Amino acid sequence: MRSLWCERAMVDTGGIADAVRIGIDAGGSVVSAVPGTEPQDGDEVLPGVAVPAAANAHSHAFHRALRGRTHDRGGTFWTWRETMYRAAGALTPELYEELATAVYAEMVTVGFTSVAEFHYVHHRPDGSPYGQGTDGADPHAMELALARAAVQAGIRLTLLDTCYLAGGFGTPLDDVQRRFSDGTAVHWLERLASLRTTIGALYAPQQVSVGAAIHSVRAVPAGELAVIARHLPDELPLHVHLSEQHAENEECLRATGRTPTGLLQHHGLVTDRLSAVHATHVTDEDIGLLAHAGAVVVLCPTTEADLADGLGPAGDFRSAGVDLALGTDQHAVVDPWLEMRALEHGERLRTGSRGHFDPHALHGIASLGGSRAQNRAGPGFGAGQVADYMVVDARSTRTAGSAADQLAYSATGQDVTGVVVGGVVMARDGVHATLGDPGELVAAAIARLDAETYPREHH
């Protein structure tokens, strides 16, 4: 058994205890957490305030290559998407492993210890599967690249293998989208089953697990939704981009007579294993359907702001009893503290009042909500909980003077002094324990991706 000693820790419903010594078993779960104790020889000492680590419930790792590079000409979500597709077209398994390793290391250093990767870049750029031909590639080359990246970074990965079959309602795939598609839901389900077998043979589930995703109702025709509803294994978490844009809602209504939530409900896909990502433009009826089913809603406040998606009804979801989670999506920001704060700030802007989500609620959304969306045990200080923590400096330029139980409203990822995964310290002061400075890793990976994406500019 290993032990951590925390100068201070959020050990119960928002309360902060001093001098907490935590015993952790070989599996990385808490055995005991005793306040008011002195550290002992061999303890890992963590100065600052320890809180449960954050669980990133929505990620597209390769989108990190677009940060700070899409703001010079305005535009919309749809024009941003064209730039994103160009980057997607340049990815190889080797490039994706390098970039994802850097992105996951960045996540770890600021306090994320698990991530749900919404993954749809499955095949070669021409749409042909990996594993065909004589190059020796594994059929799951892209998926295994992400798994290796997560293991290198020490982050728990839920690999959400995504079904993507159409370019829109009644619209075929374009050239870039071909590599996303398996052709039919049946073929996707077959590849998903093979992927689960492959990942299960290589990794423990607490390290890498496989879930499922429907990209969106515009990318999976209604008949294929019915196939997925009938045949997707019950134990898998299921995620979907839902009502992120007004245009998606309008097109869905024209094509099917239903809202995206209503269409999923019609096919039996709105259940307690569903995580609806964004849900920015849902109706009151949609909220009721999601609440009644016990679904999770994954909000990505900094991405929704960056892409001008709009302010989702976070308070309405909470009032209806919907569990919330947070994701970084396109990684315009990778910082759980800023996502927490943006959630409350969005509600203040939407309603004109303060105090919708207190600090304890925000930590619960960031840690337990995101863990539930991944079908993972949540972090905490109680016996049997996962020993995943982020430790923040309460005396930094940003946090000095803050009440220890209100750091969610003053801290940022820059203030994280330690990150623990399963009782093992994986980062200190912004530096990854084994990979070093994530900024250097990201810069190198993006430079190589740029050389593939924009070859003329590099020759």
Side-chain angles (χ1 to χ4, degrees), residues 86 447-459:
R86 191 169 184 179
R448 275 185 270 278
L449 182 62
D450 280 351
E452 296 296 325
T453 308
Y454 310 103
R456 290 182 181 177
E457 289 89 332
H458 287 77
H459 295 285

Side-chain angles (χ1 to χ4, degrees), residues 277-366:
V277 181
H278 301 304
T280 312
H281 302 293
V282 291
T283 66
D284 290 343
E285 183 179 357
D286 294 337
I287 293 172
L289 290 173
L290 294 166
H292 180 74
V296 177
V297 168
V298 181
L299 302 171
C300 306
T302 62
T303 285
E304 288 144 13
D306 183 75
L307 297 180
D309 288 343
L311 291 171
D316 295 343
F317 282 123
R318 187 184 186 197
S319 296
V322 176
D323 284 350
L324 299 177
L326 292 170
T328 60
D329 193 358
Q330 57 134 341
H331 314 307
V333 174
V334 173
D335 188 328
W337 301 86
L338 294 183
E339 297 293 348
M340 286 190 285
R341 200 135 69 243
L343 177 64
E344 167 66 17
H345 287 172
E347 275 302 280
R348 294 180 185 186
L349 291 169
R350 193 174 72 91
T351 66
S353 62
R354 303 175 79 222
H356 301 272
F357 298 95
D358 65 30
H360 176 61
L362 290 178
H363 283 292
I365 290 167

